[in-house]
Amino acid sequence: MGTSYFNILRVRAPAVLMGLIIGLCTAPAFAVHDEDFELDHVPGIGANIVNDGDVDWEDLFDANYPGEPTTKAVLPANFGPATFLRDFTPGAKGPDITAYTGGSADVNDISSWSCTRKNNIGNKFNIINAYATAYSNGTDTILYFALERRGNEGTASVGFWFLGDGSVGCAHPSGGGSTGFSGNHQDGDLLVISDFTAGGKVSNIFAYKWVGGAGGYLDTTPVAGGGDCEDASPGDNLCASVNRVLINGAGPGSDIPWLTETQQPGNTPSNDLDARLFFEGGLNLTTSGLNNCFATYHATTRSSDSLTSEKHDYVTGNFPLCKVELSKTCS
């Protein structure tokens, strides 16, 4: 599973520390959009990548422009792991080799999913880059996740799996047809699904938990729910944001520090992102009652936020995370 971040911490204390323990047991909830990470929620503007106050995505990765970004050797305090996944070959024409076949539903075990090559996956379903990180303030552990798409036509849906099995993947053969995914679900695997409108606001976002292993099931009752971070209330545990204006870059060191590839504006590849091409969200694992370790990050695009929706594109990579757990004895 590789290096794990945020090793489990257990805090226990005898009855003589009554006052301190009461304080620990009533620790305040931390809003996902009000922590040290910029989960942007400026009205009318929404998501961004550049640091304009606190830690943002550009602080986690070395751009290596025009090469693929890599995780910084030293991450900002309290952050880790950080995973960047490129899902395109700059300037190349040809099929997308990380596409789902029909029937790869999220309600089924990973072993029943399959992948194929698609010549026309659809711009709004085409993932370009995806990334994720985690943050711990010593009390709560928060996941942050994001992706870039190639096109912005119409309403869109995205999904993010955080999986315990580090072997999850699909190596599609070059000769055509399809092949099955490796790996299986583990108890506590996490799925986050969100819809966002043609206007750019996130209409809803929900988190679901897998129960049991390969023979288990996806619990259809959300463990957390929310909407656009612009409308989030204090103490929210899940929200997301979409860029509602053009993020205009002009090379290394601009708003987009790494290479992307978009349908518009201008020529591709570039480092511009038109409105509604960048999605980011955050989930407080602790306040949502989630406490599993993860090994794999799996970002997807989908036709809707239905759990049985058709899935289109995906990108998969390592995400070695173990939570911080505060176990308190309150006598």
Side-chain angles (χ1 to χ4, degrees):
M1 183 168 159
T3 302
S4 293
Y5 290 80
F6 307 151
N7 290 331
I8 295 175
L9 169 66
R10 300 184 184 276
V11 178
R12 299 189 181 275
V16 294
L17 297 178
M18 178 72 71
L20 174 61
I21 296 305
I22 290 174
L24 286 172
C25 292
T26 58
F30 291 89
V32 294
H33 67 280
D34 285 335
E35 285 301 299
D36 292 339
F37 184 81
E38 291 178 27
L39 189 54
D40 296 284
H41 52 282
V42 180
I45 295 177
N48 205 339
I49 296 171
V50 67
N51 183 333
D52 49 20
D54 291 319
V55 174
D56 213 326
W57 295 108
E58 72 166 356
D59 300 307
L60 305 176
F61 307 105
D62 290 320
N64 295 325
Y65 191 94
E68 184 171 354
T70 57
T71 304
K72 286 185 178 294
V74 179
L75 292 170
N78 302 324
F79 284 88
T83 296
F84 193 106
L85 305 173
R86 174 180 278 183
D87 194 42
F88 75 108
T89 301
K93 303 296 182 182
D96 191 314
I97 64 172
T98 57
Y100 292 104
T101 62
S104 300
D106 286 319
V107 294
N108 299 328
D109 186 52
I110 296 166
S111 61
S112 70
W113 302 353
S114 59
C115 68
T116 189
R117 294 170 178 250
K118 286 187 178 178
N119 290 319
N120 185 15
I121 203 167
N123 287 320
K124 79 172 185 176
F125 297 124
N126 195 343
I127 298 173
I128 302 301
N129 295 313
Y131 20 96
T133 191
Y135 167 82
S136 175
N137 55 26
T139 301
D140 292 8
T141 299
I142 300 173
L143 287 179
Y144 294 103
F145 40 88
L147 61 75
E148 304 162 21
R149 302 181 299 147
R150 191 174 190 274
N152 61 5
E153 61 272 19
T155 299
S157 295
V158 293
F160 304 89
W161 274 107
F162 293 88
L163 304 166
D165 188 343
S167 70
V168 173
C170 192
H172 184 266
S174 59
S178 63
T179 190
F181 271 75
S182 60
N184 295 103
H185 273 305
Q186 295 183 3
D187 186 55
D189 283 354
L190 176 66
L191 172 64
V192 181
I193 296 178
S194 180
D195 259 354
F196 51 100
T197 65
K201 288 197 80 171
V202 173
S203 52
N204 59 67
I205 182 168
F206 296 102
Y208 302 88
K209 185 171 70 172
W210 185 271
V211 179
Y217 62 94
L218 185 66
D219 190 340
T220 57
T221 301
V223 294
D228 200 289
C229 294
E230 180 180 326
D231 306 318
S233 59
D236 68 304
N237 61 354
L238 177 62
C239 74
S241 182
V242 175
N243 70 309
R244 297 168 68 183
V245 298
L246 169 69
I247 304 175
N248 188 16
S254 60
D255 283 356
I256 311 288
W258 43 75
L259 197 64
T260 188
E261 185 170 273
T262 61
Q263 179 184 13
Q264 62 226 12
N267 297 325
T268 58
S270 70
N271 58 341
D272 296 341
L273 281 175
D274 200 10
R276 306 185 306 281
L277 293 181
F278 172 60
F279 175 99
E280 64 176 350
L283 169 66
N284 190 319
L285 295 175
T286 307
T287 58
S288 301
L290 301 167
N291 57 11
N292 276 64
C293 294
F294 304 114
T296 299
Y297 174 51
H298 183 80
T300 72
T301 52
R302 45 199 302 121
S303 295
S304 75
D305 63 350
S306 167
L307 292 177
T308 57
S309 167
E310 179 183 6
K311 299 189 294 183
H312 296 274
D313 198 10
Y314 72 87
V315 61
T316 303
N318 294 330
F319 192 74
L321 172 70
C322 272
K323 64 169 175 60
V324 172
E325 178 186 359
L326 294 176
S327 176
K328 313 168 188 88
T329 300
C330 303
S331 301

